[in-house]
Amino acid sequence: MALRRLQKIAVAPLSIKEGIASNVQREMSTLQRVYVTRQIPPEGLKILKESGQVQFELWDSDDVPVSRAELLKKVKGVDGLLCVLTEKIDAELLDAAGPNLKVLSTMSVGFDHLSLDELKKRGIRVGYTPEVLTDAVAELTVALLLTTSRRLVEATHEAKTGGWGTWRTLWLCGHELANSTVGILGLGRIGVAIAERLAPFKVKKFIYTDVAPRPELAKAINAEYVSFDELAKQSDFLAVCCALTPETKEICNKELFSKMKNTSIFINTSRGGVVNQEDLYEALAAGQIAGAGLDVTVPEPLPTNHPLFTLKNCGGSILLQKGKHVIRTFFFHSASLKDNVASAMLSDELLIREVAFIYSKQEDQSM
Ligand SMILES: O=C(O)[C@H](O)CO
């Protein structure tokens, strides 16, 4: 089923060309009204401009998100909404938009900012952008993992500030991937892509946990399904790749950290909300785990006086606040973004695929 949907996404641009030809003559009054909540890449805007099917208004900034008050005003009466992860799409927003709203597309892989129940209740179709940043996030995760385990931020700091007195036998030695067990919390495309990249580092074993075993994905990377507890206990490196849902909110908390080895490295490139940050701080400060590399936090960015910034063993892109930009670069070059904007706005495909598990089990089957 997943494959079929991907094929549908892939053919979307063709139907748009046909759409352009047949629709350029349309009167403005018959055009669908779309509000775009962020300055999106030119490829996406071009599709909207040339479609001949929509008139759109854009919040023309990438630096400052549209305010909630402005958004509530702007969505009134729109047929389509293209948003990013900074907009909370909830009952209030959907009520403000009113009954014309037929389709919503988010330029993100994550969908935790969408109230799916409310969207479903109103029969609004939803699009998102799976696939576009699988490689980017996998690369970023590997970068964070090596940076954290090899203590690069700390080492740079020591070198710059004169802390490097002389060569010392075990100073800043870090932790080795060779012969290690790498755990993946939430095995999907990104988890597989991470494991594929880490395997050449001579990892001994990949383990994962998820709501249920995912044998097809696991087979590709020879990963073993384990319980959440075993994941905590066995992982030398734990990469968090799950979506943020009510079930995964703060799933990485003191209970998890207390079961981890004190030599373990914790990496989160999913959403900040899956981690209880106070518990993480305690675990890092007490040496309960060896280090953490975070691309995501709550809030983003973290206030510069946040306790996590005081720790030597916590870093990665939260120190640089650059993770998102790395990912975005890939967005701009992605054909899939074009497809997504196109198919979500201009065709009536229902793009929800992975979102399905949040819906009732019954509908889950049909996705
Ligand atoms: O969900 C996403 O698409 C990413 O987190 C964006 O940075």
Side-chain angles (χ1 to χ4, degrees):
M1 184 53 76
L3 256 183
R4 218 181 70 198
R5 291 208 179 278
L6 280 179
Q7 281 160 6
K8 282 182 184 166
I9 295 171
V11 298
L14 275 184
S15 57
I16 290 152
K17 281 192 194 129
E18 291 157 13
I20 294 170
S22 63
N23 287 307
V24 277
Q25 307 301 336
R26 281 194 187 186
E27 295 293 325
M28 280 295 275
S29 59
T30 66
L31 296 180
Q32 307 278 304
R33 275 185 58 216
V34 172
Y35 187 65
V36 183
T37 67
R38 192 63 78 98
Q39 192 184 65
I40 58 167
E43 294 93 326
L45 280 184
K46 193 162 176 267
I47 295 169
L48 287 174
K49 277 183 194 149
E50 293 179 356
S51 73
Q53 297 181 40
V54 295
Q55 53 175 310
F56 69 93
E57 198 181 342
L58 168 78
W59 177 255
D60 204 3
S61 168
D62 195 29
D63 299 328
V64 186
V66 60
S67 71
R68 181 74 178 177
E70 179 76 0
L71 184 61
L72 289 173
K73 262 195 268 160
K74 289 293 184 188
V75 295
K76 198 169 166 18
V78 295
D79 301 283
L81 184 59
L82 176 56
C83 70
V84 294
L85 45 76
T86 43
E87 280 79 57
K88 199 167 167 48
I89 307 300
D90 55 9
E92 182 194 34
L93 190 286
L94 297 174
D95 286 345
N100 284 355
L101 187 60
K102 298 176 229 8
V103 60
L104 170 127
S105 186
T106 177
M107 187 179 139
S108 60
V109 179
F111 42 80
D112 44 287
H113 54 301
L114 312 181
S115 294
L116 294 175
D117 286 346
E118 294 295 336
L119 285 155
K120 184 169 176 264
K121 224 193 289 174
R122 293 162 171 81
I124 296 168
R125 291 169 182 274
V126 178
Y128 72 136
T129 52
E131 315 276 342
V132 294
L133 45 63
T134 303
D135 291 332
V137 178
E139 287 175 17
L140 181 69
T141 308
V142 173
L144 268 178
L145 189 147
L146 290 171
T147 302
T148 312
S149 63
R150 288 300 173 191
R151 304 170 68 177
L152 296 187
V153 175
E154 227 181 309
T156 307
H157 175 79
E158 295 296 332
K160 278 184 177 170
T161 57
W164 184 3
T166 180
W167 182 88
R168 279 172 267 169
T169 50
L170 295 179
W171 191 49
L172 292 175
C173 261
H175 300 271
E176 209 141 86
L177 261 169
N179 251 327
S180 70
T181 296
V182 173
I184 298 167
L185 176 52
L187 187 69
R189 292 175 301 270
I190 292 177
V192 170
I194 292 169
E196 283 169 349
R197 283 159 178 79
L198 291 180
F201 284 89
K202 302 185 179 168
V203 168
K204 186 176 70 191
K205 191 171 160 193
F206 289 104
I207 55 177
Y208 75 101
T209 201
D210 210 312
V211 279
R214 306 195 70 179
E216 278 179 27
L217 288 174
K219 204 169 130 200
I221 51 166
N222 199 16
E224 182 191 331
Y225 183 74
V226 296
S227 67
F228 188 64
D229 266 20
E230 280 305 312
L231 190 83
K233 284 183 198 157
Q234 290 186 34
S235 299
D236 296 304
F237 297 86
L238 180 54
V240 182
C241 305
C242 60
L244 174 61
T245 65
E247 291 74 33
T248 61
K249 189 167 188 300
E250 300 196 1
I251 194 170
C252 302
N253 52 30
K254 61 172 168 241
E255 214 186 309
L256 172 93
F257 299 129
S258 69
K259 289 177 189 141
M260 287 173 70
K261 305 175 192 178
N262 60 11
T263 49
S264 292
I265 301 288
F266 176 84
I267 304 295
N268 185 12
T269 46
S270 68
R271 283 288 185 269
V274 302
V275 176
N276 180 312
Q277 279 172 189
E278 285 72 40
D279 291 356
L280 176 63
Y281 172 84
E282 294 300 334
L284 287 165
Q288 204 161 51
I289 62 173
L294 308 176
D295 174 50
V296 283
T297 55
V298 179
E300 288 176 7
L302 273 188
T304 49
N305 62 355
H306 193 280
L308 281 171
F309 282 121
T310 64
L311 296 170
K312 278 187 174 177
N313 55 351
C314 181
S317 46
I318 71 155
L319 289 185
L320 306 168
Q321 294 294 354
K322 280 221 171 105
K324 295 292 163 192
H325 301 289
V326 175
I327 290 171
R328 289 231 175 97
T329 313
F330 284 79
F331 257 130
F332 289 129
H333 297 292
S334 166
S336 308
L337 166 66
K338 209 165 73 177
D339 297 349
N340 177 261
V341 174
S343 50
M345 286 295 162
L346 304 176
S347 84
D348 61 358
E349 295 295 347
L350 181 62
L351 297 179
I352 295 179
R353 183 155 46 90
E354 305 220 330
V355 183
F357 73 87
I358 292 175
Y359 286 169
S360 72
K361 280 278 171 276
Q362 226 180 357
E363 291 184 356
D364 209 340
Q365 316 284 313
S366 66
M367 291 284 180

